[in-house]
Amino acid sequence: MNKSKKKPKSNQECADENIKVVVRCRPMNRYEKHAGMENVVIMDTMGKCVKMQCCPMNHNWGKPKKFLFDSVYDVETSQYGIYDGSVRPMISHMLQGFNVTIFAYGQTGTGKTFTMEGNQSEYGIMQNAFEQIYKFAREQKDKRCVIQCSYLEIYQGKIQDLLNSAKPIKVNKSKLKIPCKGLISIVCKSVQDIEKCRIEGFKNRKVAATCFNEHSSRSHSIFTVLLTLRIPKTKKIILQSKLNLVDLAGSESLLRSEATPLRKKECCEINLSLLAVNKVISSTVAGHAYIPYRDSLLTRLLQDSFGGNSKTLMIANIGPAETMHKETLTTLEYAHQAKKIKIAPRKRPESLETRHRQARIALAKCQKELEETKERHKEKREATTKLMESVLAVLTEISNTEETVDETNESQNLNNSRNLRVEPLNKKKR
């Protein structure tokens, strides 16, 4: 007997996949070179492998630990090399209708902000992504393409709008998602417009000098791009997607940071939120029923990226020096865990008609359930009414029987009393 063939998936569906994880190692800085630090990281770009020496401080190297990733980028890799190798395919998915999240993760001072934002001489991921998105928009001759952006930071447990720094955001944690309610969303008609928003927002970010980094980010930032493609005449939406570009503040050691009280407070907030991210990664990989997304604002905002409807790329940034051995090893371990996270990205609804059809189906289902519930309640009410009528009939019969008995007793008592009255009268006559 022939087995029935499985139905092919619709164009909105995509097979489950893992989070994409790549690793980038920065060069040694001037201090590390001057101090003669040992390089404890071996980047095998061809084998997509990072090897980490075990015991650098006493030079008892032993067997190195080995981690496999989707891609590995050494100190020679340019900004454009990383973009072309790992980021460009993710932006292509976004232009096909998928939600996409790209975030930089790692110890402070490892080049996360440089990877995302770049500098005057080299574009970062954000600028290259803008170029790719607007090239796509220019190719849509007979369609109307609307691109909006918003920019937020999470600083000491609070959300701030980087495009409107004078207005703090009050959030409802139970309904928190990206973009947050209350954020300014700006329509950008060109690369220059969206780049202007990025620069303005970046100037408003909390940045300070620490012993690890002269320009250390003291907050997590999320730059969101919303893309909507529609037919001008009918206003029918044919594509809708979202891109989240996340620059996480780096974890720091309080003992080694030599920080002021304010820097220490910032450091504690950063470490707590990154710990919440690590707990989410560990719980998701372990398959726990409860994932602690509610432990921090950061994990609530990134909930779709770790276990929802989004294609996700993690760029783990590490340092090569032996003094950062512990932090580098921790970053590699969590990045390797994150690679095991399964996600199920789906395309956004392609049109308003699709959403209306889904809503009508859901409404019809609810109406059917309501009618079935009413019918069940009607049957229960009828059964209850019949039972009450039977009870009432029995009570009426009992009452009638008691009245008959009472009347009989009264008649007998009356006859007895009459007989008693007649007997004395007869005696007197005698």
Side-chain angles (χ1 to χ4, degrees):
M1 188 174 180
N2 294 330
K3 294 182 178 179
S4 60
K5 294 182 179 180
K6 293 183 179 179
K7 292 182 180 180
K9 293 186 177 182
S10 67
N11 60 354
Q12 289 189 8
E13 295 181 351
C14 178
D16 290 358
E17 60 184 54
N18 294 80
I19 286 179
K20 299 288 186 293
V21 181
V22 303
V23 177
R24 184 185 196 184
C25 183
R26 65 160 173 79
M28 283 202 181
N29 58 33
R30 285 176 294 176
Y31 166 76
E32 292 165 345
K33 289 178 181 178
H34 182 73
M37 299 290 181
E38 291 279 357
N39 186 339
V40 296
V41 176
I42 301 169
M43 307 293 286
D44 181 0
T45 56
M46 296 299 292
K48 301 180 181 180
C49 170
V50 180
K51 294 177 183 177
M52 186 78 190
Q53 302 289 358
C54 293
C55 304
M57 302 309 290
N58 56 11
H59 298 282
N60 180 21
W61 300 108
K63 189 176 180 180
K65 289 190 176 182
K66 186 177 178 180
F67 301 91
L68 293 173
F69 297 99
D70 293 293
S71 290
V72 170
Y73 300 103
D74 59 15
V75 297
E76 303 297 329
T77 308
S78 66
Q79 291 277 78
Y80 192 79
I82 293 174
Y83 185 85
D84 209 39
S86 294
V87 182
R88 186 180 296 280
M90 300 298 290
I91 303 302
S92 297
H93 288 310
M94 181 246 188
L95 300 177
Q96 294 168 9
F98 290 96
N99 290 339
V100 172
T101 299
I102 300 169
F103 68 97
Y105 173 87
Q107 168 74 3
T108 186
T110 52
K112 297 182 299 299
T113 300
F114 173 70
T115 299
M116 297 300 294
E117 304 262 358
N119 56 23
Q120 293 180 350
S121 61
E122 276 191 283
Y123 277 178
I125 285 172
M126 296 175 76
Q127 296 95 321
N128 284 312
F130 300 158
E131 293 282 356
Q132 186 177 347
I133 291 168
Y134 278 91
K135 181 183 177 183
F136 169 83
R138 289 191 296 270
E139 293 170 351
Q140 310 306 310
K141 302 296 183 182
D142 57 341
K143 302 177 185 70
R144 183 167 180 261
C145 189
V146 178
I147 298 171
Q148 299 168 272
C149 76
S150 60
Y151 203 179
L152 68 84
E153 73 171 353
I154 303 173
Y155 178 68
Q156 294 194 11
K158 296 180 181 178
I159 294 178
Q160 184 72 38
D161 189 344
L162 292 175
L163 300 180
N164 184 19
S165 56
K167 182 183 177 183
I169 301 295
K170 293 181 180 180
V171 297
N172 183 346
K173 293 183 179 181
S174 64
K175 299 180 179 179
L176 194 58
K177 63 179 182 178
I178 300 176
C180 295
K181 188 177 180 180
L183 275 181
I184 285 180
S185 184
I186 299 176
V187 176
C188 302
K189 296 182 179 180
S190 65
V191 174
Q192 291 74 25
D193 288 348
I194 200 167
E195 178 64 8
K196 184 179 178 181
C197 291
R198 183 195 70 81
I199 293 171
E200 180 185 344
F202 185 73
K203 288 178 180 177
N204 292 327
R205 281 195 72 182
K206 305 294 187 297
V207 179
T210 67
C211 67
F212 295 108
N213 189 358
E214 293 180 4
H215 304 284
S216 175
S217 300
R218 313 309 296 166
S219 64
H220 310 294
S221 73
I222 304 176
F223 190 98
T224 302
V225 181
L226 294 172
L227 172 67
T228 305
L229 196 63
R230 66 176 77 226
I231 297 173
K233 290 183 179 179
T234 62
K235 296 183 180 181
K236 175 183 176 183
I237 295 175
I238 57 174
L239 186 143
Q240 207 170 38
S241 59
K242 177 174 65 177
L243 170 66
N244 296 318
L245 298 163
V246 186
D247 180 16
L248 299 179
S251 58
E252 297 179 12
S253 169
L254 283 173
L255 296 176
R256 294 172 54 198
S257 64
E258 302 175 6
T260 63
L262 177 58
R263 299 286 89 83
K264 285 183 178 179
K265 185 178 179 182
E266 292 170 345
C267 180
C268 288
E269 287 289 344
I270 291 168
N271 289 344
L272 283 172
S273 59
L274 291 174
L275 178 63
V277 170
N278 294 339
K279 285 171 65 179
V280 165
I281 291 172
S282 299
S283 300
T284 306
V285 172
H288 293 167
Y290 171 73
I291 309 297
Y293 292 116
R294 294 176 181 269
D295 284 6
S296 76
L297 285 174
L298 180 62
T299 49
R300 280 304 298 267
L301 288 170
L302 295 178
Q303 182 170 348
D304 276 351
S305 305
F306 286 116
N309 183 23
S310 178
K311 286 181 176 282
T312 303
L313 170 67
M314 173 194 279
I315 303 173
N317 294 74
I318 60 174
E322 59 183 290
T323 51
M324 298 186 70
H325 176 271
K326 183 178 178 181
E327 291 82 1
T328 298
L329 185 60
T330 301
T331 299
L332 290 173
E333 287 173 344
Y334 276 110
H336 193 258
Q337 268 196 314
K339 191 174 177 295
K340 301 174 184 177
I341 295 176
K342 290 280 186 184
I343 52 177
R346 299 287 184 269
K347 282 187 181 181
R348 295 287 294 275
E350 294 184 353
S351 66
L352 286 173
E353 285 79 1
T354 303
R355 280 179 280 179
H356 289 164
R357 185 171 64 254
Q358 292 173 347
R360 287 194 296 270
I361 292 170
L363 180 61
K365 184 179 178 182
C366 290
Q367 288 176 337
K368 183 180 178 182
E369 290 178 355
L370 180 62
E371 292 299 325
E372 289 175 353
T373 303
K374 284 182 178 179
E375 189 64 30
R376 287 197 298 270
H377 287 174
K378 182 180 178 182
E379 292 174 358
K380 288 181 180 179
R381 283 197 301 270
E382 290 175 353
T384 303
T385 302
K386 288 180 180 179
L387 180 62
M388 291 297 294
E389 289 174 353
S390 301
V391 171
L392 185 61
V394 171
L395 291 174
T396 303
E397 186 177 348
I398 292 171
S399 177
N400 292 336
T401 304
E402 289 178 348
E403 288 177 1
T404 304
V405 171
D406 291 340
E407 288 175 359
T408 304
N409 291 336
E410 286 179 3
S411 177
Q412 289 178 352
N413 291 336
L414 183 61
N415 292 332
N416 290 337
S417 61
R418 285 175 180 173
N419 292 333
L420 290 172
R421 286 176 186 173
V422 170
E423 286 178 2
L425 289 172
N426 293 335
K427 288 180 180 178
K428 288 181 180 180
K429 287 178 181 182
R430 290 176 185 175

